[in-house]
Amino acid sequence: SFDQLSSCLSINILPDSILQFIGEYLPTSSRAMMASAVSRSACFDSDALDFSDIDRDLASKLTDSDMSSILVSIDAVNRLRVLKIIGCTNIS
């Protein structure tokens, strides 16, 4: 059935090592957004986060809530040394 298939295909069952491997192909800002989307910090392994490497249209749509979710999901307080929010014009 569809319910059985959808539960088998959930990204949430992937081990951290696979998420880290996938994250290696993404810019750090995309890794941080991925970590937020799947609620797993394993996707993000950097001490710097620079939003200038994502599309300006997307960066301009990020809200305070989006940014908060991203920063909490990667444990930014303890992990980040550098945060650049260039292009994130919709946050206060």
Side-chain angles (χ1 to χ4, degrees):
S1 81
F2 179 75
D3 289 334
Q4 290 173 331
L5 181 61
S6 64
S7 67
C8 292
L9 300 176
S10 174
I11 196 168
N12 294 323
I13 64 171
L14 292 175
D16 288 349
S17 59
I18 298 295
L19 294 175
Q20 290 168 343
F21 182 75
I22 293 167
E24 290 176 6
Y25 291 93
L26 301 171
T28 57
S29 57
S30 295
R31 276 187 252 161
M33 288 185 282
M34 180 179 159
S36 177
V38 298
S39 300
R40 307 239 317 262
S41 64
C43 307
F44 189 82
D45 61 355
S46 179
D47 66 349
L49 178 54
D50 182 356
F51 282 92
S52 68
D53 61 3
I54 63 170
D55 184 71
R56 285 186 181 260
D57 187 48
L58 174 59
S60 69
K61 291 178 182 174
L62 292 173
T63 64
D64 290 340
S65 178
D66 296 329
M67 191 63 69
S68 174
S69 176
I70 292 167
L71 296 175
V72 167
S73 71
I74 63 168
D75 190 22
V77 170
N78 296 309
R79 181 173 283 174
L80 289 185
R81 293 180 48 197
V82 176
L83 173 62
K84 295 182 181 179
I85 54 173
I86 298 167
C88 299
T89 57
N90 197 31
I91 59 173
S92 52

